[in-house]
Amino acid sequence: MWGGRFGASPDAIMEEINVSIDVDQHLYAQDIAASKAHASMLAAQGIITASDAKNIAGGLDTILSEIGKGGFVFKRALEDIHMNVESRLSELIGPAAGRLHTARSRNDQVATDFRLYVRDVIDDLDRDFAAFQRALVDRALEHADTVMPGFTHLQTAQPVTFGHHLMAYVEMTARDRGRLADARKRLNESPLGAAALAGTSFPIDRQATATALGFERPMANSLDAVSDRDFVLETLSTASIAAVHLSRFAEEIVIWTSPLVGLVRLSDKFTTGSSIMPQKRNPDAAELVRAKTGRIIGSLTALLIVMKGLPLAYQKDMQEDKAGAMEAFAALTLAVRAMTGMVLDLEPDEARMRIAAGEGYATATDLADWLVRELKMPFREAHHVTGRIVAKASESDLPLHKVPLSVMQAIEPRITAQALEVLSVQASVASRTSYGGTAPANVREQAKAWLKRLEKEQKSG
């Protein structure tokens, strides 16, 4: 394609480092869509004939079908998806194929194709995360009353409900989806027509191609249009945060399924065995979700490093923008689908959860709150009094609700038998009725509201 300027063929190693078809062949649908929009605009503007535009569109449809059916041969000598498509188009329709490249460059082509690709990825990921939320909400409703230990510092802190814990990830995922929507909005501008870097002298209609491809508007600066990769960085950043959320949940599943903890079980569908230890049931799916987060964050870091030193406009370094991003998006897709499957599969050991929720004097704060509420004691004093009672309970190896009232009254004479009523784990979670609290009634209300929201999204989507 550029042989007119060069008298010799490139070295074999030059061809190897320069070729990108192994990666950018995944952009074939986007490349063909952008080419069809460009050809249609060229005809509408009188830059090429309607007959040529019709032949180009027909040839591109044939190529799309060939690739879709696996009958297209990608040639590494042609470097990239753009030249592979154009070469095949020339075979199909002859010299008219060469007119397709009028008023555009591979620089604005690849920027357009990749924006379309990332936009499609965002839409697919949003659907996957919505399904993840739906699984969480369904299980939260099922376990709105199931008591479990809540942790800080991985130490038993206060009782919560399993439904409340699952709903925390619904909220995290809502923010992830919001960031995806924000990234989509910002990327939805068309580089097509910016050409190599300076625009073109042909009377093109960039708004027409932007509209045809579903973009809101053309990008306003041709230099920025061909050299910007913010849209990939922002989507990778969003993907990294989402992956961290999935990894945190995966880590909890790994901990919870350990026989030492035993709060939940996964079936054979999401566990594996050992090649030497027949008793093992390993939470490998959760572990792999946890590990894939590194790939996703690594892809973000790699592209940041590629872009940090590049002057305007396009540089060949940007060819490295796709492989890592595509791998990251595929890893996140697999991770969220695996987590959705595990959410639907896992079964809590409700009896074990209830026992664990009461261990470690988890309802001590409820006693302190009772002292403040009923005896009008300053919280700091109530905290001190409760701490002394917990110390006595620990000396006697008794749970807090089994400490004799006389022992409590020896520390604080005004305590009555009513205080004992707030010390069960069920009473504790039921009392947490503040907005966003763990009370079962709250969990059901929040879960039902989310269910309606997700169903509305599904109908409107």
Side-chain angles (χ1 to χ4, degrees):
M1 84 221 65
W2 35 258
R5 172 66 176 83
F6 290 77
S9 298
D11 188 87
I13 196 67
M14 175 60 193
E15 287 188 346
E16 187 63 27
I17 197 171
N18 196 48
V19 71
S20 63
I21 188 59
D22 295 341
V23 173
D24 61 33
Q25 64 179 271
H26 298 294
L27 302 176
Y28 76 89
Q30 291 80 12
D31 191 72
I32 290 171
S35 289
K36 289 177 69 175
H38 185 67
S40 177
M41 179 275 297
L42 292 176
Q45 294 297 106
I47 299 170
I48 66 174
T49 66
S51 176
D52 281 346
K54 182 179 179 181
N55 288 335
I56 288 169
L60 290 171
D61 284 337
T62 298
I63 295 168
L64 182 66
S65 177
E66 289 175 347
I67 298 175
K69 293 176 180 177
F72 188 93
V73 179
F74 292 101
K75 300 174 182 177
R76 289 172 64 81
L78 293 173
E79 291 188 13
D80 57 31
I81 186 62
H82 321 301
M83 297 313 300
N84 269 268
V85 169
E86 186 174 323
S87 175
R88 177 59 179 148
L89 185 62
S90 182
E91 293 173 356
L92 290 170
I93 69 171
R99 296 188 173 91
L100 175 59
H101 207 55
T102 306
R104 74 174 184 181
S105 160
R106 285 193 297 172
N107 293 355
D108 63 337
Q109 255 190 288
V110 70
T112 302
D113 293 355
F114 204 23
R115 278 179 185 264
L116 291 170
Y117 179 89
V118 174
R119 192 177 71 185
D120 290 342
V121 163
I122 288 173
D123 292 344
D124 290 342
L125 281 172
D126 185 68
R127 284 188 286 271
D128 286 334
F129 277 112
F132 178 53
Q133 285 182 301
R134 177 60 187 261
L136 289 165
V137 169
D138 286 344
R139 298 311 303 275
L141 274 172
E142 183 182 348
H143 292 285
D145 294 285
T146 302
V147 177
M148 70 172 288
F151 300 96
T152 61
H153 309 277
L154 208 55
Q155 306 296 310
T156 302
Q158 291 178 281
V160 296
T161 64
F162 188 47
H164 189 59
H165 197 110
L166 294 176
M167 289 301 296
Y169 286 101
V170 175
E171 297 295 330
M172 290 186 205
T173 305
R175 295 193 294 274
D176 294 329
R177 293 181 66 197
R179 279 182 282 268
L180 284 170
D182 289 343
R184 190 191 195 283
K185 182 177 181 180
R186 269 183 287 279
L187 77 74
N188 206 30
E189 297 182 344
S190 175
L192 193 58
L197 75 161
T200 179
S201 59
F202 289 95
I204 62 172
D205 184 349
R206 292 190 62 208
Q207 184 60 58
T209 51
T211 300
L213 294 170
F215 290 114
E216 288 189 12
R217 62 187 70 85
M219 295 184 74
N221 184 283
S222 59
L223 289 166
D224 181 48
V226 299
S227 63
D228 168 58
R229 292 299 182 270
D230 290 0
F231 67 97
V232 195
L233 290 169
E234 185 173 9
T235 307
L236 283 172
S237 177
T238 295
S240 296
I241 296 170
V244 167
H245 289 156
L246 295 176
S247 184
R248 293 180 71 182
F249 194 10
E251 170 71 1
E252 290 189 317
I253 290 175
V254 171
I255 293 170
W256 292 344
T257 55
S258 167
L260 291 174
V261 179
L263 296 184
V264 304
R265 291 182 295 272
L266 286 171
S267 77
D268 294 352
K269 294 178 182 179
F270 288 94
T271 55
T272 65
S274 165
S275 64
I276 189 172
M277 296 167 284
Q279 83 283 6
K280 292 293 295 298
R281 184 187 290 276
N282 300 324
D284 282 3
E287 291 172 9
L288 288 166
V289 167
R290 192 173 57 183
K292 286 185 183 297
T293 302
R295 284 181 179 265
I296 297 163
I297 296 171
S299 296
L300 169 62
T301 303
L303 186 55
L304 284 168
I305 294 169
V306 166
M307 296 300 298
K308 71 173 182 61
L310 300 188
L312 297 180
Y314 180 82
Q315 314 289 329
K316 195 68 169 185
D317 311 51
M318 293 181 193
Q319 185 167 290
E320 292 298 309
D321 62 351
K322 297 172 200 66
M326 289 177 175
E327 183 181 59
F329 299 145
L332 182 58
T333 297
L334 186 56
V336 68
R337 291 177 181 177
M339 289 303 299
T340 302
M342 281 184 278
V343 167
L344 294 171
D345 183 69
L346 62 82
E347 286 300 328
D349 186 332
E350 296 184 31
R352 173 63 190 135
M353 279 187 168
R354 187 165 50 253
I355 292 169
E359 292 174 345
Y361 306 104
T363 58
T365 304
D366 295 276
L367 178 57
D369 288 347
W370 185 90
L371 294 171
V372 171
R373 187 170 53 250
E374 300 299 328
L375 303 185
K376 311 305 178 187
M377 189 180 289
F379 183 80
R380 287 301 171 200
E381 183 181 348
H383 186 284
H384 181 72
V385 168
T386 301
R388 291 178 63 195
I389 293 173
V390 168
K392 283 291 185 182
S394 181
E395 288 174 9
S396 304
D397 196 24
L398 290 172
L400 198 56
H401 66 283
K402 292 291 183 66
V403 175
L405 183 59
S406 60
V407 173
M408 292 187 180
Q409 289 174 331
I411 296 169
E412 171 49 62
R414 293 178 294 167
I415 293 178
T416 68
Q418 184 189 25
L420 301 176
E421 297 174 6
V422 305
L423 298 183
S424 71
V425 292
Q426 287 82 3
S428 176
V429 296
S431 71
R432 305 293 168 180
T433 56
S434 60
Y435 182 77
T438 191
N442 285 13
V443 174
R444 276 188 284 271
E445 181 180 1
Q446 289 286 336
K448 288 176 181 177
W450 264 107
L451 199 58
K452 289 181 181 178
R453 178 173 166 180
L454 291 167
E455 288 173 350
K456 184 177 179 180
E457 284 179 4
Q458 190 175 25
K459 289 176 181 176
S460 63

